[in-house]
Amino acid sequence: MSDQPTPVNSPIDNEEISSGERGTFSLGQRLRQPRTLISFGLAIAIIVFVVRGLDIDLATTWQYMRSADPWLLVAGLIVFYLTFPLRAFRWRMLLINAGVPVQAGKYSWASFPALIEYIYLSWFANCIVPAKLGDAYRGYLLKHNGNVSFSATFGTIFAERLLDMIGLFGLLVISGYLTFGAQMPEGTHIVFGFGGLLVVIIISGLIGMRWLGPQIRWFIPNRLHRVYGNFEQSALRSFTPAILPRLFLLTGSIWLLEGFRLWFVIQSLSHTGLNLTLAAIIFVALASSLLTALPVTPAGLGVVEGTITVVLTFFGIASSLGSAVTLLDRLINFWSIVVFGFILYLFSRRK
């Protein structure tokens, strides 16, 4: 859950915007901030609450994890990492459409491998610091390497988040209907309500920028008017009718791959009798990804683990087996990013 997806709101404050515009952003400094430590403490508290509340037997969970088919887990890892080239290709389309001067060339700051690196480093940042600061870090990386406007770049990231939210929520509704029919379990109402609220908020934000730009500027400090103007122009110009079909196709493919990642994880435990339809698996994957939009913990740590385990209980899966699925999946889409992202961060010349 990817969540990272990838998720949706980016509550970046004025300090982060100013830092991005100046081309300064210290990931190490953000990691040492009190709110980062508090967010990790909150994540641990949530995990402890879920373990106790669902009466999860950790020894049994560990036995399930040890019995998983490693080759199917590797397949899930590969499927998950295939999403990054697709995300980079989609982001390049948004940057070009928004008028950001993206230069071609194998060693260009905006080459395809470079864009993948920026996205991966931003996901790494989201895994170790709260409040979706990885989005601001990605804007900083383009400012630092390409000397392009941070606010204009951030406008394309906002557009990307809008696409993700629409694609995620649309597939969530379809998979939920195929899985449950018209009678949704009571707990799913929270997931759909939260997702619907996020869709309304982010689309309203885009419409507000399109029709209420002058009024919005009344509430923005004068020193940030130019910054907001670049952001607004970039976000609105990211979408044109000509590229919308390709953008939606790429977005749908990304989220389907997220679902297939969890499918491979569940298949790795099929010897336990675990059996879910593909629609149900996609629903579980997307429901957990949706919760990463909550900026209270890094990449939804704790929140996602609890969500997957609880949602799996809707299908009659024992909590210990559900927690094994959860932890194996998070090895792929969280801890692998922490490990590989840290290595990339150490050796990257673009950080």
Side-chain angles (χ1 to χ4, degrees), residues 119-264:
I119 291 175
Y120 197 78
L121 285 172
S122 73
W123 278 48
F124 168 65
N126 275 335
C127 286
I128 63 173
V129 293
K132 296 295 182 185
L133 291 183
D135 290 347
Y137 185 54
R138 197 189 334 168
Y140 155 78
L141 289 173
L142 252 66
K143 173 75 174 179
H144 175 67
N145 291 279
N147 197 29
V148 298
S149 168
F150 170 85
S151 49
T153 299
F154 203 73
T156 66
I157 296 173
F158 174 83
E160 181 184 275
R161 291 290 174 259
L162 173 59
L163 287 169
D164 276 334
M165 189 68 254
I166 293 175
L168 187 159
F169 188 69
L171 288 174
L172 183 70
V173 171
I174 293 172
S175 61
Y177 181 77
L178 292 176
T179 302
F180 302 111
Q183 300 298 321
M184 299 285 181
E186 184 176 350
T188 61
H189 297 162
I190 299 175
V191 175
F192 286 115
F194 180 63
L197 178 63
L198 287 179
V199 169
V200 170
I201 290 174
I202 201 166
I203 291 180
S204 297
L206 190 68
I207 293 174
M209 284 190 292
R210 174 65 178 85
W211 299 105
L212 302 173
Q215 287 77 12
I216 292 175
R217 285 176 173 81
W218 290 348
F219 301 96
I220 298 176
N222 290 333
R223 62 186 177 85
L224 293 179
H225 277 193
R226 180 185 60 82
V227 173
Y228 172 76
N230 291 337
F231 168 81
E232 177 188 89
Q233 183 181 35
S234 179
L236 293 175
R237 290 179 59 185
S238 293
F239 302 106
T240 58
I243 68 168
L244 277 179
R246 284 176 289 168
L247 289 174
F248 284 124
L249 178 62
L250 284 169
T251 301
S253 299
I254 288 167
W255 288 110
L256 284 175
L257 286 175
E258 293 280 357
F260 276 105
R261 181 205 68 243
L262 183 59
W263 183 84
F264 278 111

Side-chain angles (χ1 to χ4, degrees), residues 5-199:
T6 25
V8 182
N9 291 355
S10 296
I12 309 302
D13 56 29
N14 289 343
E15 178 186 352
E16 306 302 339
I17 294 173
S18 300
S19 296
E21 287 294 333
R22 294 193 304 268
T24 58
F25 192 103
S26 172
L27 195 55
Q29 181 181 0
R30 268 65 176 185
L31 185 59
R32 295 190 299 269
Q33 288 181 344
R35 65 176 175 177
T36 299
L37 301 178
I38 293 172
S39 69
F40 275 107
L42 180 60
I44 294 172
I46 293 172
I47 292 173
V48 171
F49 175 79
V50 171
V51 170
R52 291 183 175 179
L54 296 179
D55 195 23
I56 296 173
D57 186 331
L58 294 180
T60 303
T61 296
W62 174 241
Q63 290 300 319
Y64 281 132
M65 293 176 66
R66 289 184 59 188
S67 69
D69 186 330
W71 292 111
L72 288 173
L73 293 178
V74 170
L77 184 72
I78 292 172
V79 165
F80 173 63
Y81 276 82
L82 286 176
T83 65
F84 287 98
L86 294 181
R87 291 181 184 277
F89 186 66
R90 182 183 62 176
W91 189 31
R92 184 181 179 87
M93 291 174 60
L94 292 171
L95 288 167
I96 293 173
N97 215 47
V100 176
V102 176
Q103 301 172 354
K106 183 178 180 180
Y107 301 104
S108 166
W109 62 269
S111 66
F112 191 61
L115 293 178
I116 295 176
E117 183 175 342
Y118 299 147
I119 291 175
Y120 197 78
L121 285 172
S122 73
W123 278 48
F124 168 65
N126 275 335
C127 286
I128 63 173
V129 293
K132 296 295 182 185
L133 291 183
D135 290 347
Y137 185 54
R138 197 189 334 168
Y140 155 78
L141 289 173
L142 252 66
K143 173 75 174 179
H144 175 67
N145 291 279
N147 197 29
V148 298
S149 168
F150 170 85
S151 49
T153 299
F154 203 73
T156 66
I157 296 173
F158 174 83
E160 181 184 275
R161 291 290 174 259
L162 173 59
L163 287 169
D164 276 334
M165 189 68 254
I166 293 175
L168 187 159
F169 188 69
L171 288 174
L172 183 70
V173 171
I174 293 172
S175 61
Y177 181 77
L178 292 176
T179 302
F180 302 111
Q183 300 298 321
M184 299 285 181
E186 184 176 350
T188 61
H189 297 162
I190 299 175
V191 175
F192 286 115
F194 180 63
L197 178 63
L198 287 179
V199 169

